[in-house]
Structure formats: C-alpha cells, structure tokens
Amino acid sequence: MSNRASMIVDKDFTIGQVDDRIYGSFIEHLGRAVYGGIYEPGHPTADGNGFRLDVLEAVRQLNVPIIRYPGGNFVSGYNWEDGVGPREERKRKLELAWWTTETNAIGTNEFADWAKLAGSEVMMAVNLGTRGVDAARNLVEYCNHPSGSYWSDLRVSHGYKEPYAFKTWCLGNEMDGPWQIGAKTAVEYGRLANETAKAMRWVDPGLELVACGSSGSSMNTFAEWEATVLDLCYDNVDFLSLHTYYNNNKEDTASFLASSLDMDYFIDSVAAICDYIQAKKKSKKKIYLSMDEWNVWKTQGTSRAEQRWQVGPPEFEDVYNLEDALVVGCCLISLLKHADRVKMACLAQLVNVIAPISTENGGPLWLQTTYFPYLHASLYGRGTVLHPMISSPKYDAKDFTDVPYLEAVSVYNEELQEVTVFAVNRHLTEGLDLTVDLRSFGKISVLEHLVLENEDLKAANTKDNPHNVRPHSRGNAIQDNGQIRALLAKASWNVIRLKIS
Ligand code: AHR
C-alpha cells in the first residue's frame, strides 16, 4: 500500500530567482572548525599553508558560494587586529565566547586565502559586542581600500596587495542573546548598527549589510526586537538575519521531520515585520532576509567549562543520521520556497562543529548524512523556483498539525533546460506515490533520480563506517504520458532531475 501525492509545476508560476548565496555556510573560531578542521599543519594532506586539502576538496564539491566568518559568538569578543601581521608576533588570547585559547594563527588574510581556494566568497562579521564603529570601519579599510591609507597600507605590508572587495558584512552576531559578549537591548543595538553601517559604507559604498535579527524565534524579545532594530537602522542596512536550529530532543521523529514548517513560519513572520517597518516608514526599499545560521543541532548545551582554555577542543561534533538529513533537506526546500525573500543562508557550520564534514586530527575525513541534501541542492537547485502546487495526505504530530507527507519544490534551470524536483517523503513506514505534472514544459525525460534512504532512521556515517548512508541513483522516476511518476521510498530524500527537449 502506498499513499498518493501530486504536484503541478508550471514555468510561468514562479516564486523567484534563486540567489546562489542561499547555499552559503559558516566557519567560526569554535571547536575544531578552524584548528583541526580547515587548518592543520602537519596533517598528511596539508598544503604549504597548513590547509587540509581533503577538507578543501570536500568543500569545493559542495560549490559553497559564500562563507560567514569569523563568528558567531566568537566575533563579539574578537579584536581583528590580533589576527593579522607576522604570525610569530600574534598574541594568544583567552576567548570568552567558548572559553578556549585563541592562538590567532588564522586570521582575516589566511581565511581569505582559504576561501579563495575553496571557491567561496567571504561574508565578514564585525564585532559589535566589545567594540563598535571604529574597529568596524578600520576593518573595512584594511580589507577593501586599495592603498594609500594607514589600514590599507598595513594590509599591503602584510603581503596582500590587492584589496578583497568583501561585499557582504554582518553587523555583529546575536546581539539579543544574554550569552553574547556585550549583548544589547534592541534600542542600543539598533542605534549602534545604524551608526556602524553608515561609517562602514562611507569607507566602501558598495557594501551589503546585514543587521542582527533575533537569535531564534523562541526568544522572549522576538518580533519586538526585529521591529525596533529595523526602525532604527532601516535606511542603512539591506538584510535582516534569522538564526534557527532544530533538535530531535523529544525523540519524536514525526514532529522532528516537520521542523521545516517552523522554518516556513519563521521566515513569513520576519518578512511580515520587515514589511510593517517598510510601510511605517513609507519606504520604497525592501529588506531581504539572511538565514545566516540554520541547521539541526543536537549537542546544544555541551558544557564549555570542560574545554576551558584549550586550543581547538572538540565542540558540538554532532553525528547526523538519516532523520537529520531529511530535516536538512526539508529546510533547504523551505529556503527555496522563499527564494523571493531569503537571499542568503548559511548552513551552520561547515567543518566539525555541527557540520556536514567531519575530520580527525591527523586522520581521515568523512561526510555526514547532511552533506548530501546540501550537495544536491547546491548543485541542482540553481535557477528559478516554481510554485509547488501540492496535494498530499497529511498527518498530525505532537508539535505540528496538518503536516504534508510530501515536502517538495522544483527549480527550473533555463540555461541548462533542466528542471529538478526536490522531494522528501516524511512517511516513516510507507512509500509515497508521486505524480508531477509539468504541463507547460513540453517534452521531458528523466536524467537521474537520486535517493537518500536507509532502513534505519538512526543510521549515520562515522569514521569507521563512512559509507553507511550514501545517496544512490536507482530511484524509480519515469516519464509517463507527459507526467513524472515516482514511488518515493518511506523516509527518503529525493532529487529528480529532468531534461526538457
Ligand atoms: O553556530 C554556533 C553558535 O550558535 C554561534 O556561534 C552562535 O551565533 C549561535 O548561537
């Protein structure tokens, strides 16, 4: 027995063009993301700069357009000047966000070198916790001004003649969170963000600036924070950030798999607040959304006291299973469904810390289950998102009602003349008989049907069993009288790639 679901996609019913930056990620000076992750001198694969080439290769495969750096909570206590100039002169400092020791062996220039090798842009973040306008505008001058001024000449003297032209900058991080070094009220932050934005843009008018939204929709100040902050800095910022992490903490898989409904709701709510302020200000300008931290996060709350003052201790090294990959897949679909509003997003994070890529110091690298939906969406989810007209049976779970078993969206790549359908079957015990009606596309054929599935929902990839959960291309999608038919396996992630001829 299987359930039936259908989907109609029409090339004229578009949601919007995908901004490739929704496939961004994040590297913070936290745990073994930097030290032991991207950088490990002495590792057998390390290049002359100490960058692990196995990690670089896994990142390159993902085709990550933009990577947020250097934090996260870390940035709120960071003096960027500590991380530039001759390495032997760099100061070791106590790092108060995660209670570790920061050696400053990696700083802005090294990270920019690494990002270039990875084929990614850098999304910079400035410290609005312990610092403010002055440090931020100096950093913009250091990074983006060609030469002929103190900070730009300093960069040149450090061996980096060409300015970086970093375009996208975050104005602090999670400034509403009591855990943040230098946390602020909405009014304090909104004013500071506005003044910092002005000065940064006076140094480089080409910047795109992201103001901090709430650390999550469960914050007591959520919504009020967004409205107050935007009211104070609307004219000088372009994006508002959203952060969200999902956790199967109740061991309730049916609810957990519905997490992306929360993401949909979160995005819609923040968009509504932005539009409210736009209306209030009678402004022609629209604020776009940057979901610059999102993921499944299971080890939240790990005691940082245990790691006190170590260098690059293992932190938040979540082991992701099939369920987690399905939630990541559903969240990617949610981001695509909001392509008209969400223009940037960062899977938090990229290596070792709540990450799709895991490494062992001195040892191998392996890919977590969540790597694969991220890879597929990044490779095949570029183009125009089409409205998914879906009809699907639904279920009720503890935390959500009316959850469609089918979560799906399609993306039309006009240049390649391809349509890709991304689909998750949330049903835990039954297949889903899917029909996709592509009436406006004419002749179509199936290029490939990729599937991520496993009999065991808790199956994961580990160092000793790195190939346990891998996608295969034996999906059963067929072209049938102008429609696509596929039986989606229970609890599976599916990528149906179609060619238009
Ligand atoms: O991504 C891990 C942490 O989660 C970030 O440092 C912080 O911004 C968020 O709370």
Side-chain angles (χ1 to χ4, degrees):
M1 263 302 279
S2 70
N3 294 307
R4 287 183 185 285
S6 64
M7 185 174 170
I8 304 172
V9 283
D10 189 307
K11 67 172 166 228
D12 291 325
F13 296 158
T14 61
I15 293 180
Q17 187 69 23
V18 175
D19 187 320
D20 293 349
R21 293 176 299 177
I22 67 166
Y23 302 120
S25 193
F26 178 29
I27 291 276
E28 176 170 4
H29 283 246
L30 159 59
R32 296 191 309 118
V34 173
Y35 305 112
I38 65 171
Y39 176 73
E40 193 186 342
H43 187 272
T45 71
D47 69 4
N49 292 316
F51 297 138
R52 282 183 67 150
L53 294 180
D54 56 349
V55 173
L56 263 173
E57 189 45 35
V59 175
R60 275 194 209 115
Q61 294 293 328
L62 288 168
N63 196 4
V64 184
I66 192 162
I67 304 182
R68 186 165 173 253
Y69 175 85
N73 297 341
F74 170 81
V75 79
S76 297
Y78 184 49
N79 293 346
W80 67 264
E81 302 86 338
D82 293 344
V84 298
R87 247 197 197 131
E88 57 286 359
E89 290 170 21
R90 295 192 195 168
K91 303 169 189 132
R92 286 169 76 91
K93 288 223 169 144
L94 296 188
E95 198 291 294
L96 299 187
W98 305 108
W99 296 6
T100 56
T101 299
E102 175 55 54
T103 64
N104 285 303
I106 294 288
T108 305
N109 294 314
E110 292 80 18
F111 187 75
D113 286 341
W114 180 83
K116 196 166 174 200
L117 293 171
S120 309
E121 299 285 320
V122 179
M123 176 196 237
M124 289 289 279
V126 298
N127 174 355
L128 294 190
T130 58
R131 308 189 84 187
V133 183
D134 194 40
R137 58 114 185 211
N138 292 345
L139 180 56
V140 177
E141 183 180 320
Y142 180 89
C143 292
N144 286 7
H145 195 69
S147 62
S149 67
Y150 176 77
W151 294 107
S152 59
D153 287 346
L154 188 65
R155 183 198 70 243
V156 174
S157 78
H158 291 158
Y160 294 86
K161 186 166 177 292
E162 295 305 318
Y164 293 115
F166 292 144
K167 186 174 169 199
T168 315
W169 295 68
C170 300
L171 298 163
N173 176 71
E174 296 191 348
M175 299 308 304
D176 60 327
W179 57 86
Q180 203 67 214
I181 307 167
K184 311 239 171 327
T185 65
V187 172
E188 287 167 349
Y189 172 68
R191 292 259 313 116
L192 181 59
N194 191 54
E195 295 308 310
T196 308
K198 266 167 45 187
M200 288 169 72
R201 253 206 261 272
W202 283 339
V203 179
D204 181 350
L207 302 187
E208 268 186 349
L209 300 173
V210 186
C212 290
S214 297
S215 307
S217 58
S218 60
M219 297 297 287
N220 287 336
T221 46
F222 172 63
E224 201 49 57
W225 171 276
E226 276 73 4
T228 307
V229 166
L230 272 187
D231 213 6
L232 291 165
C233 65
Y234 199 90
D235 292 338
N236 289 310
V237 304
D238 309 287
F239 292 88
L240 189 64
S241 76
L242 295 82
H243 289 184
T244 189
Y245 293 98
Y246 296 109
N247 184 2
N248 192 1
N249 47 11
K250 294 179 207 144
E251 282 304 317
D252 170 6
T253 302
S255 286
F256 179 53
L257 290 188
S259 300
S260 66
L261 272 64
D262 179 76
M263 186 182 260
D264 289 338
Y265 179 69
F266 186 26
I267 294 170
D268 292 340
S269 307
V270 177
I273 301 165
C274 294
D275 292 346
Y276 158 65
I277 300 297
Q278 181 183 5
K280 188 176 161 195
K281 289 187 174 286
K282 301 181 176 59
S283 171
K284 291 211 170 5
K285 175 177 165 184
K286 207 177 190 69
I287 296 289
Y288 288 96
L289 307 185
S290 172
M291 178 75 74
D292 48 42
E293 284 189 32
W294 71 272
N295 205 345
V296 171
W297 185 353
K298 295 146 42 131
T299 53
Q300 231 161 351
T302 302
S303 161
R304 54 183 190 165
E306 288 164 21
Q307 318 288 0
R308 224 169 173 148
W309 315 137
Q310 293 177 40
V311 176
E315 273 277 31
F316 310 124
E317 301 203 353
D318 281 27
V319 178
Y320 291 116
N321 58 30
L322 179 66
E323 284 174 0
D324 303 323
L326 297 181
V327 170
V328 165
C330 288
C331 288
L332 286 160
I333 292 172
S334 170
L335 293 172
L336 284 168
K337 285 193 300 186
H338 293 90
D340 54 337
R341 203 64 196 247
V342 180
K343 300 292 178 187
M344 295 192 289
C346 302
L347 180 73
Q349 299 192 6
L350 188 54
V351 186
N352 287 329
V353 177
I354 40 173
I357 298 169
S358 297
T359 69
E360 186 182 67
N361 289 356
L365 165 151
W366 61 99
L367 305 175
Q368 299 243 21
T369 58
T370 53
Y371 183 91
F372 300 103
Y374 181 34
L375 172 76
H376 295 153
S378 176
L379 295 188
Y380 307 122
R382 300 186 187 216
T384 306
V385 186
L386 305 177
H387 270 289
M389 307 283 288
I390 286 175
S391 159
S392 166
K394 296 181 174 167
Y395 68 94
D396 289 338
K398 263 196 218 111
D399 297 337
F400 299 90
T401 51
D402 285 333
V403 183
Y405 283 112
L406 176 68
E407 189 62 70
V409 75
S410 63
V411 179
Y412 172 38
N413 188 321
E414 200 172 350
E415 204 184 314
L416 299 177
Q417 282 301 296
E418 286 181 20
V419 175
T420 301
V421 178
F422 298 101
V424 171
N425 176 10
R426 290 191 173 102
H427 207 298
L428 297 176
T429 54
E430 289 177 26
L432 191 58
D433 201 342
L434 172 67
T435 305
V436 188
D437 182 339
L438 293 119
R439 51 186 64 171
S440 62
F441 281 100
K443 209 157 169 256
I444 39 168
S445 53
V446 177
L447 283 175
E448 193 176 29
H449 176 181
L450 298 161
V451 186
L452 191 69
E453 59 179 333
N454 199 287
E455 264 313 304
D456 180 5
L457 280 170
K458 306 288 179 194
N461 297 331
T462 57
K463 184 191 141 202
D464 298 325
N465 196 3
H467 297 285
N468 197 23
V469 187
R470 288 271 162 161
H472 64 76
S473 52
R474 298 184 304 279
N476 53 28
I478 51 160
Q479 196 268 109
D480 177 17
N481 236 343
Q483 300 193 326
I484 297 300
R485 300 205 47 187
L487 182 63
L488 308 183
K490 65 180 181 185
S492 62
W493 158 257
N494 298 266
V495 182
I496 304 174
R497 298 181 52 224
L498 307 168
K499 185 80 190 167
I500 304 157
S501 47

